[in-house]
Amino acid sequence: MLRLQKLSKTYKTGDQALTAIDLDVPKGQVLALIGPSGAGKSTMIRCINRLVEPTGGAVLLDEVDLTGLGPGRLRKARREMGMIFQEYALVERLTVMENVLSGRLGYVGFWRSFLRRYPQSDVDAAFRLLDRVGLLHMADKRADELSGGQRQRVGICRALIQQPKLLLVDEPTASLDPKTSRQIMRLITELCQERGLAAIINIHDVALAQMFVPRVVGLRLGEIVYDGLPTGLTPDKLTEIYGEEDWEATIEKVEDEEIEAAE
Ligand SMILES: Nc1ncnc2c1ncn2[C@@H]1O[C@H](COP(=O)(O)OP(=O)(O)OP(=O)(O)O)[C@@H](O)[C@H]1O
Ligand SMILES: [Mg+2]
């Protein structure tokens, strides 16, 4: 469904953020992208929907190379890719409902959305999504009245109302407490399963990634140094990705949390 071929990005500053990345993501697969700060995780996600322009290689979404598309076709292709951000990127003074509906921008056109005249079918879809994430009762609240976890649920609804095939998720839990982080990761992975959506989730917390996804890709200095099962992330592999560290503690944490989850 998504195929990266020799995807490369060198910023104008000369920073080579990605070096010839090859990656295949089948339909419906959720994977976690891990790696130290500066490894190129955000760059990779942003090159896929061309928020950042790649400097080499190809991004194929259902066989169409996005790197060659002009503005009109790029806009259409972007509808297929929902994005979820660490800082939620909500419009603070708008309501929860309006924020969710803004996900339809790529469909309804500028003036209609500016006048906030969304079709009833979009409003119905927004209510259904808010119900699914447990925020139906908050539809009329302003975004700035919500907690972090609630904001991220709105961010998730806004991405999903686009009816994407692929979710691009950049550090969805980095601003949240551990319990809320787990709830949000669970929600994202469940929704992907329900809707047959593929996702790439950038995440710093290795233990959290291991709990929820079937595939982990490790990035270091712009190159893939691990691609496999979460259980294959041995201390040696983690050292290869992150450098020297005491990984036994992380692995024990996963085991503890698995026991806790089973109880
Ligand atoms: N706009 C930019 N201009 C120049 N260099 C950049 C820009 N954005 C990122 N870089 C560089 O590209 C490399 C990869 O950065 P990127 O933000 O993709 O890493 P990351 O893995 O997402 O890190 P983090 O975990 O801290 O979010 C880094 O060396 C960074 O300094
Ligand atoms: Mg980043």
Side-chain angles (χ1 to χ4, degrees), residues 58-72:
V59 176
L60 300 168
L61 185 67
D62 288 335
E63 317 293 327
V64 177
D65 184 2
L66 305 184
T67 56
L69 298 184

Side-chain angles (χ1 to χ4, degrees), residues 3 42 161 263:
R3 171 169 293 174
S42 297
I161 202 167
E263 277 168 4

Side-chain angles (χ1 to χ4, degrees), residues 23 29-35 201 203 206 208-219 224-233 238 241-242:
L23 186 75
Q29 186 179 67
V30 177
L31 70 83
L33 189 59
I34 65 169
I201 308 178
I203 187 156
V206 177
L208 193 59
Q210 287 173 301
M211 264 183 261
F212 290 102
V213 304
R215 178 182 179 190
V216 176
V217 171
L219 211 56
I224 292 176
V225 293
Y226 182 83
D227 185 352
L229 296 172
T231 46
L233 283 171
L238 287 166
I241 302 169
Y242 286 97

Side-chain angles (χ1 to χ4, degrees), residues 37-55:
S37 192
K41 304 181 298 295
S42 297
T43 301
M44 185 166 133
I45 277 204
R46 284 159 187 267
C47 279
I48 293 172
N49 63 5
R50 285 180 53 197
L51 283 180
V52 166
E53 283 293 346
T55 46

Side-chain angles (χ1 to χ4, degrees), residues 181-225:
S181 295
R182 275 209 293 263
Q183 291 170 340
I184 291 292
M185 274 299 280
R186 182 173 297 119
L187 182 63
I188 293 174
T189 49
E190 279 177 3
L191 284 164
C192 285
Q193 212 162 30
E194 286 166 20
R195 295 163 171 252
L197 272 177
I200 299 179
I201 308 178
N202 283 355
I203 187 156
H204 267 123
D205 189 332
V206 177
L208 193 59
Q210 287 173 301
M211 264 183 261
F212 290 102
V213 304
R215 178 182 179 190
V216 176
V217 171
L219 211 56
R220 178 176 192 171
L221 297 172
E223 293 185 72
I224 292 176
V225 293

Side-chain angles (χ1 to χ4, degrees), residues 79-117:
R79 294 175 186 169
E80 314 277 312
M81 301 179 277
M83 214 170 170
I84 298 172
F85 306 87
Q86 171 185 344
E87 295 299 344
Y88 327 115
L90 303 183
V91 183
E92 300 290 336
R93 63 185 173 76
L94 294 186
T95 64
V96 164
M97 176 52 97
E98 287 166 327
N99 270 286
V100 175
L101 283 170
S102 73
R104 297 296 296 174
L105 267 173
Y107 288 93
V108 298
F110 175 76
W111 281 109
R112 214 164 162 187
S113 58
F114 180 75
L115 299 168
R116 300 195 206 139
R117 272 199 234 128

Side-chain angles (χ1 to χ4, degrees), residues 242-253:
Y242 286 97
E244 281 306 323
E245 192 52 85
D246 178 13
W247 295 110
E248 296 298 338
T250 307
I251 288 164
E252 277 165 22
K253 187 177 159 207

